[in-house]
Amino acid sequence: MARTCAVCGKGPATGNHVSHANNRVKRRWYPNLQTVRTLVDGEVRRIRVCAQCIRSNRVKKAAGPAPAPAT
């Protein structure tokens, strides 16, 4: 499964670890992906979405199960 957001397409960024001695080693920064139940074409699906898309309401979350009645 690819580490990309299903809404905005954000994926891993690349760069370097830079030590105090200025040694450089390749590294990757991964997006903060969350699995979310959403409405896609009228049906509930689980998709991987970055936290920024969730916060900015680019994703319509599906309603959860009804709470149990209190007795």
Side-chain angles (χ1 to χ4, degrees), residues 29-59:
W29 285 269
Y30 295 109
N32 183 7
L33 295 180
Q34 307 293 322
T35 302
V36 179
R37 294 174 70 245
T38 62
L39 286 172
V40 178
D41 299 328
E43 63 183 31
V44 177
R45 286 239 170 121
R46 280 189 173 93
I47 60 173
R48 294 180 80 192
V49 183
C50 68
Q52 188 174 1
C53 289
I54 296 170
R55 282 198 312 268
S56 62
N57 292 322
R58 291 186 213 147
V59 176

